[in-house]
Amino acid sequence: MKRNRAVPRRFSLAIVFAVFVLAAAFFVTATARLGLVGHVFAAYAQQEPAAGQQPRSREQQSEPDLRVSVRLVNVFTTVTDSHGAPVANLQKDDFKVTEDGLVQSVRVFDRESELPLSIVMEVDTSPSTERDFKLEVLSAKRFARQIMRPVDRLAVYQVTEHVDQLTPFTPDLRRIERGIDNLRVGPGTSIYDAIFLGSEALMDREGRKVLVLITDGGDTTSKADYNAALRRAQQSEAIVYSIIVVPVEADAGRNLGGEHALIQISKDTGGKYYYAEGINELDAAFRQISEELRTQYLIAYYPNRQVADSPFRRIKVEVTKKDADGKAYQVRHRAGYYTTPAK
């Protein structure tokens, strides 16, 4: 008769110990993984969507966060016909908007926008403008009386080698006129500084932001350069109107380089430039600016592409229909916007 061989006690304990170790290792690994997932889930759960954004789907949450905040992009647009007359009867479907070549869906459309105006009026009072200085003062006062409504605000700046604020943003016409009366001729001309600082003053203003600069175009003392001035204007969404005072059209002392720089800044911000040789041209320029600001279109959209490939995105607005003469409408608006906040 065969006897069953008993398993040694030490061998049985070894097996039990090995199983215990394996189970413990599995439990620790699983717990660590669950803990990591918990931390990741908690991190995503704490990321609340920004104002105006929809909560992200599970598929979106699994993607790396390489996107920029979605914000409504406002594009104030001026449309004129082939004769230069403002056009104020277009409909939303008459416009096509693209950003970096991609068609955008217009979310806000308003004709003859009644949004408040914040206006920076800057007057070059350097010796080169002294000849027409009194005319500039008279014309600036007429413009203020013509453009201002109770909801609008205007600030007056003097531009010499320094840029000095004579009147803060105010709806008070008497205070504005006193500021204009306090303009004094001084040395130097800091045009780029004026655009930079005027744009900074407009940075946090609500509604439409306008910078009107009266100058002969010659910059001699600025600390800022052309690129810095243009960037600041674009960051603040200021619309720049340049009134270039040219007493004698063929004057050999004209600063053509400065004039061309002002023309380009005006174009890139959706504004316009004017040449004025006397009081009639000054008044006409101010009148056209006033009419234009009353017949602008507000077009706004949320960018349908959130990934920021470039710090600057280019905007193009087109009118798809023709004018009464069968010619294309002329459309003016800012060239684009920066995706990074101003510093």
Side-chain angles (χ1 to χ4, degrees):
M1 181 175 179
K2 292 184 179 179
R3 295 175 58 186
N4 291 329
R5 299 175 62 183
V7 178
R9 182 180 181 84
R10 285 182 298 177
F11 184 72
S12 298
L13 290 174
I15 292 175
V16 171
F17 181 78
V19 171
F20 176 81
V21 170
L22 290 173
F26 176 80
F27 178 79
V28 170
T29 303
T31 302
R33 288 179 178 173
L34 287 172
L36 177 61
V37 171
H39 284 304
V40 172
F41 179 81
Y44 274 100
Q46 291 172 0
Q47 293 178 357
E48 297 180 359
Q53 288 183 294
Q54 296 296 324
R56 300 197 304 175
S57 66
R58 291 182 180 178
E59 291 78 6
Q60 290 174 318
Q61 291 176 356
S62 66
E63 296 175 357
D65 193 7
L66 300 177
R67 301 175 182 271
V68 297
S69 297
V70 178
R71 63 169 182 169
L72 191 69
V73 177
N74 295 320
V75 188
F76 291 103
T77 305
T78 300
V79 182
T80 56
D81 61 19
S82 55
H83 303 287
V87 178
N89 60 352
L90 297 174
Q91 306 298 318
K92 175 181 175 181
D93 292 340
D94 295 327
F95 290 88
K96 176 184 177 183
V97 182
T98 59
E99 179 181 290
D100 287 344
L102 298 177
V103 176
Q104 305 296 314
S105 176
V106 175
R107 298 298 184 89
V108 177
F109 180 82
D110 186 22
R111 289 188 300 273
E112 299 184 30
S113 176
E114 291 301 319
L115 285 174
L117 287 167
S118 291
I119 303 171
V120 167
M121 179 189 291
E122 299 184 315
V123 183
D124 174 1
T125 61
S126 61
S128 59
T129 65
E130 190 171 4
R131 175 178 172 178
D132 293 303
F133 179 69
K134 292 182 179 179
L135 300 180
E136 292 176 9
V137 168
L138 290 173
S139 191
K141 286 183 178 180
R142 278 196 284 267
F143 171 70
R145 289 193 291 267
Q146 185 179 36
I147 192 68
M148 292 295 291
R149 303 167 300 173
V151 296
D152 299 327
R153 302 292 184 269
L154 189 148
V156 179
Y157 285 75
Q158 174 176 284
V159 182
T160 57
E161 62 181 338
H162 304 293
V163 180
D164 300 311
Q165 186 186 69
L166 303 182
T167 304
F169 287 104
T170 178
D172 188 340
L173 276 173
R174 290 183 179 179
R175 191 174 183 186
I176 291 169
E177 291 187 352
R178 284 197 302 269
I180 295 173
D181 285 333
N182 286 332
L183 290 166
R184 296 292 182 268
V185 175
T189 311
S190 298
I191 298 302
Y192 295 140
D193 286 355
I195 295 173
F196 187 96
L197 295 172
S199 298
E200 278 207 331
L202 290 166
M203 188 75 70
D204 296 325
R205 305 288 301 179
E206 298 294 332
R208 289 180 292 167
K209 309 170 190 181
V210 178
L211 192 156
V212 179
L213 177 61
I214 310 167
T215 178
D216 61 0
D219 189 298
T220 59
T221 52
S222 280
K223 295 180 177 63
D225 60 12
Y226 167 85
N227 290 324
L230 174 58
R231 183 184 181 97
R232 211 51 161 183
Q234 290 175 323
Q235 287 174 328
S236 69
E237 301 181 12
I239 305 171
V240 179
Y241 291 92
S242 302
I243 301 178
I244 303 170
V245 179
V246 185
V248 181
E249 188 173 357
D251 187 0
R254 285 176 59 182
N255 189 320
L256 296 179
E259 292 177 22
H260 293 158
L262 288 175
I263 289 170
Q264 193 60 50
I265 290 175
S266 297
K267 287 181 177 180
D268 285 347
T269 58
K272 193 175 181 180
Y273 68 94
Y274 303 86
Y275 279 106
E277 297 181 27
I279 188 64
N280 291 333
E281 288 83 0
L282 273 171
D283 284 344
F286 277 126
R287 185 170 57 254
Q288 289 179 44
I289 293 171
S290 179
E291 291 174 356
E292 182 170 300
L293 292 173
R294 298 294 177 230
T295 56
Q296 282 182 326
Y297 296 89
L298 170 59
I299 299 173
Y301 65 91
Y302 289 104
N304 57 24
R305 183 173 58 90
Q306 299 177 30
V307 179
D309 294 335
S310 166
F312 188 79
R313 294 187 175 184
R314 295 203 166 274
I315 300 170
K316 185 175 183 180
V317 179
E318 301 173 272
V319 175
T320 56
K321 65 189 297 185
K322 305 294 183 181
D323 67 11
D325 297 330
K327 297 181 180 179
Y329 287 107
Q330 302 300 308
V331 184
R332 296 202 322 276
H333 55 84
R334 59 181 172 138
Y337 66 96
Y338 285 93
T339 57
T340 54
K343 295 181 180 179

